[in-house]
Amino acid sequence: MKIIRKVIISLLILLVCFSLYPQESNVQWNSEGKDFNRLKHTWRAKWITHPVESTLDYGVFLLRRTFRLDVKPEKYIIYVSADNRYRLYVNGRYVCAGPARGYPLHWRYETLDIAPYLHKGDNIVAAEVVNFGEYRHGEQHTVQTAFILQSDSTNRVIINTGDTHWKITKNLAYQFIPITSETVGGYYAAGPCDRIDASLYPWGWEETGFDDHDWLTPKAARTEAAVGRDFLYGSTWFLVPRNIPLMEEKPVRIPKVIRSEGMSAHDGFLTGKKELTVPPYTKASIMVDQTWLTMGFPQLITGGGKGSKIKITYAESLFKTADTDKPGAGDHFNAGLEKGNRNETQGKFIMGYYDLIYPDGGTNRLFRTLWYRTYRFIQLDIETADEALDLKDFHGIFWAYPFEENGSFSSDDPLLSKIWEVAWRTQRLNSTETYADCPYYEQLQYIGDTRIQALITYYVSGDDRLARNAIEQFDHSRIPEGLTLSRYPSYIYQVIPTYSLLWIAMIYDYYMYRNDLDFVGKFQPGMVSVLEWFEKKIDDNGLLGNLEWWNFTDWAPEYNNGVPPGAEYGHSASISLQYVYALKFAGELFNALGNERLAVKCDQMASDMIQAVYTHCYDASRGMFAETPEKKVFSQHTNIFAILTDALAKNDQKDLMKKILEQEDLIQSTVYFRFYLFRALQKTGMGDEYLDQIEPWKIMLDLGLTTFAEREFDMRSDCHAWSASPCFDLLHTVAGIYPAEPGFKSVVIEPNPGKLNHIRAVMPHPAGDISLDLTRKGKTGISGSVDLPDNLTGVFIWNENKIRLTGGRQKILFTQDP
């Protein structure tokens, strides 16, 4: 009996273990495409890596798997991921890059159908896997170098990693070039550049006919098994499906050579139609101008040139020595240097990160960077030895989130069309697998920028997947104290408590623009944890007391590192009102989620904090709020939030708004914080003032910028996400399109055309496009049409007069007052 009992127990154990390896032919997918078996159980494929090389340090690794097909399949599904990143090839053709940016508890994998790349007979799947090592991108979480590929079990031939047919080698051609703040003239966190020795490159490695007999068999990576996010035991990477589309990739040609030294240079090699030959024993420098800022993977095709060296330097703008006789000469981040007008290149030089290439003399050698570069200007510094070097082609592969420009704005002022164009480019260059603050220096997803980017996304693209992804990632970033990190994903931890408050505002924005309360409800615990952290900081006088970390508010020069007075040692009216701002949003969200107790608590705490700010910081003689109870310093910022939180009676808010605009002794808002200035303008019925407050964007255009910068003075980054806000405001403020209720179930159209005589606008709504075409009639009249989706209703407001709107086209006519 004991033997029988042991046999039965053993069989039961085997049965339980076998249940962890489900048959994939029975895979079920939910509406988001999630594979429940791959989330809850171990994968059949294994994480693999190089058997002898370091898996923690920098390295580029190549993997191959050959297999034979009796017929070309109609469908061939695979699931792929890697640490850090991979590029996948099938039969020598590039398929995609990944994985989408994640972190060990939410590590993304891609689901791909590679059938279009396959054929009857011998096939090859190949992958380039890179670990950027110590100097990796600030967003790049990592465990170790590893790769995984799993075939769907419906495939006739299974090619899972972990079988003995996979091969691997280290690509010795690559070394890293560490990039520092000194290299680029400002804080930098976007990863290393490349040093490529073509003589060590295994050319043709991704093709079927390549000889890989001396490659090694991979070993299993240091993990018990590949598992999904919901697996019952611990692991290293918890795999979850990619939740955003693959990036847009397209060739972008560089228009012109702007100067050369050491030899004459034509533009032919930039078109790929006429090669440029650099003679032997030549030292030459060639500078090219994209004419607008862009980003992507530069590709250089060369021939010959054995023993030569090519240095490729990338920059947003050129520099010159500052005129030290001018007060405040030089940029803040580049002492003694200045950029000036970006279109003026005479007498300027390039400074920025760079790649190094050492050709081997072969023909049609294609060199491509391992990570994307951002540039308007590129300089090629070339030194040849005893063999001429042919530059056959040089261009970029634009790489960004595939946003479509579904929204639009036009008017009788062509300058606004230019502002729209440049703002949208700014948005595009800061949107990849996550949003980013800037594409050159950091490429990090900060909450302050991301809130504005998400709103632009709702208004111009309508594709909310990247915004949803960002909201979730910030929730995942929360630290034990309850706050979010200021930027995430990032292994370089930084906490900005005020950004945690803006994360709540992001959730509220989503609640207003999307009818998706289930998604909003996921973040209730996170919102509570953020608010409780601030609640613990309330001092005896009712204001927020001493606050840890970096309470950034704006880059106003009078703020110490962007922090308003009182934030560090206590009793900041600005931070206290930002807390109220989040409390009010949270209260409405909790109420919608059915949590009346939390809603009431938020409302009461907001009321108490407003009373404390008014009691201690309101200066009756100026009719404004001071920064601290000492009432020595005043800013636009604090008074803007006083309006947005109703810290002052609504009847008095318009007068306060006028003082904010008129009193020059106030600390002024920079280009970032003007987003909140414009919200206060709208709230007080002064939206027509918007077009008179966009001077910072005009300044940047006058300086030749093709994207909008981090700020309108002392510019480090020429492309900064928060400065793309005109794409939001031209539709939200000038065209006046915004939700009338949560979920965008109805719409308000309340135009603020200012001095414009004509406006035309389109905004994508989940039910279809909202469009309007309006023309001023005299000083106070307006006429035109509004088109709404069939099932959408709303109201048109003009000078406090209202017209009910229904689906379809409606004429608008308000005649001029007599």
Side-chain angles (χ1 to χ4, degrees), residues 367-537:
F367 299 95
R368 183 195 59 250
T369 58
L370 293 173
W371 188 239
Y372 73 85
R373 306 287 184 249
T374 303
Y375 56 88
R376 172 177 169 176
F377 298 98
I378 302 177
Q379 183 165 297
L380 293 85
D381 293 305
I382 303 168
E383 296 180 35
T384 56
D386 57 358
E387 184 175 297
L389 172 68
D390 296 326
L391 303 180
K392 296 176 176 290
D393 194 359
F394 185 49
H395 65 277
I397 302 296
F398 178 74
W399 187 81
Y401 189 93
F403 280 134
E404 295 184 7
E405 192 178 353
N406 296 317
S408 62
F409 178 89
S410 60
S411 71
D412 52 308
D413 184 351
L415 179 62
L416 296 180
S417 295
K418 186 64 177 178
I419 288 175
W420 174 280
E421 172 196 334
V422 173
W424 180 241
R425 182 180 296 121
T426 304
Q427 171 84 349
R428 289 296 319 270
L429 297 192
N430 285 294
S431 305
T432 57
E433 293 168 346
T434 63
Y435 291 114
D437 63 325
C438 57
Y440 188 92
Y441 292 90
E442 298 183 54
Q443 302 171 7
L444 292 170
Q445 182 173 249
Y446 284 85
I447 296 174
D449 301 83
T450 302
R451 185 194 180 193
I452 297 170
Q453 290 172 281
L455 285 166
I456 295 169
T457 298
Y458 304 148
Y459 269 82
V460 182
S461 168
D463 178 353
D464 58 27
R465 287 173 289 182
L466 199 60
R468 289 167 55 93
N469 184 60
I471 293 170
E472 288 183 324
Q473 288 179 328
F474 293 137
D475 187 41
H476 297 159
S477 80
R478 283 185 289 124
I479 60 176
E481 290 87 341
L483 296 172
T484 65
L485 295 179
S486 68
R487 56 196 187 190
Y488 205 70
S490 176
Y491 70 91
I492 307 171
Y493 280 14
Q494 181 192 81
V495 180
I496 299 179
T498 49
Y499 276 13
S500 294
L501 298 174
L502 293 182
W503 174 62
I504 294 175
M506 275 191 71
I507 299 168
Y508 181 82
D509 294 338
Y510 183 87
Y511 163 72
M512 292 300 296
Y513 286 93
R514 292 294 183 267
N515 186 21
D516 189 358
L517 205 55
D518 287 342
F519 181 77
V520 171
K522 295 195 301 184
F523 309 109
Q524 182 169 287
M527 291 188 286
V528 170
S529 73
V530 168
L531 296 174
E532 285 182 345
W533 184 87
F534 279 91
E535 183 181 0
K536 295 172 185 176
K537 303 299 178 181

Side-chain angles (χ1 to χ4, degrees), residues 121-256:
D122 292 333
N123 292 267
I124 176 76
V125 170
E128 175 187 75
V129 176
V130 57
N131 185 334
F132 289 103
E134 177 185 359
Y135 294 96
R136 67 189 184 276
H137 187 295
E139 270 198 340
Q140 183 62 63
H141 290 256
T142 184
V143 178
Q144 67 165 109
T145 304
F147 178 71
I148 189 168
L149 184 151
Q150 177 162 295
S151 296
D152 190 275
S153 65
T154 59
N155 298 339
R156 296 186 65 180
V157 176
I158 303 300
I159 58 170
N160 295 346
T161 50
D163 70 25
T164 57
H165 299 288
W166 280 89
K167 291 191 172 185
I168 191 171
T169 192
K170 184 175 184 180
N171 190 344
L172 300 176
Y174 283 93
Q175 295 182 29
F176 67 89
I177 301 173
I179 304 300
T180 66
S181 298
E182 289 74 23
T183 307
V184 297
Y187 175 70
Y188 181 82
C193 285
D194 307 330
R195 183 188 187 276
I196 309 174
D197 185 344
S199 67
L200 300 175
Y201 195 94
W203 298 102
W205 68 273
E206 71 274 35
E207 303 286 348
T208 52
F210 182 80
D211 182 4
D212 60 8
H213 77 277
D214 59 348
W215 286 29
L216 303 178
T217 300
K219 71 174 183 180
R222 55 173 188 178
T223 180
E224 294 180 358
V227 303
R229 176 69 176 85
D230 300 339
F231 186 63
L232 68 166
Y233 297 135
S235 188
T236 46
W237 304 273
F238 286 92
L239 288 159
V240 292
R242 185 185 184 107
N243 59 347
I244 58 172
L246 295 173
M247 298 299 100
E248 176 187 354
E249 300 187 52
K250 65 179 182 181
V252 175
R253 288 289 172 184
I254 302 168
K256 61 182 180 180

Side-chain angles (χ1 to χ4, degrees), residues 553-565 574 627 635 637-638 667:
T553 296
D554 189 22
W555 279 127
E558 296 87 348
Y559 284 172
N560 184 21
N561 290 317
V563 179
S574 177
E627 293 296 282
S635 72
H637 309 72
T638 294
I667 296 173

Side-chain angles (χ1 to χ4, degrees), residues 249-288:
E249 300 187 52
K250 65 179 182 181
V252 175
R253 288 289 172 184
I254 302 168
K256 61 182 180 180
V257 172
I258 58 172
R259 67 179 182 227
S260 61
E261 297 176 5
M263 62 174 287
S264 60
H266 56 72
D267 296 336
F269 77 104
L270 298 177
T271 67
K273 297 178 180 179
K274 182 181 179 182
E275 64 187 37
L276 175 65
T277 299
V278 184
Y281 304 111
T282 297
K283 187 174 182 180
S285 180
I286 303 168
M287 183 177 288
V288 300

Side-chain angles (χ1 to χ4, degrees), residues 574-604:
S574 177
I575 308 298
S576 295
L577 289 175
Q578 291 180 57
Y579 177 41
V580 173
Y581 187 65
L583 280 168
K584 290 199 165 195
F585 285 151
E588 188 171 337
L589 291 169
F590 293 147
N591 188 63
L593 293 168
N595 197 327
E596 185 179 352
R597 180 185 62 82
L598 282 177
V600 170
K601 180 181 178 181
C602 286
D603 291 345
Q604 185 59 54

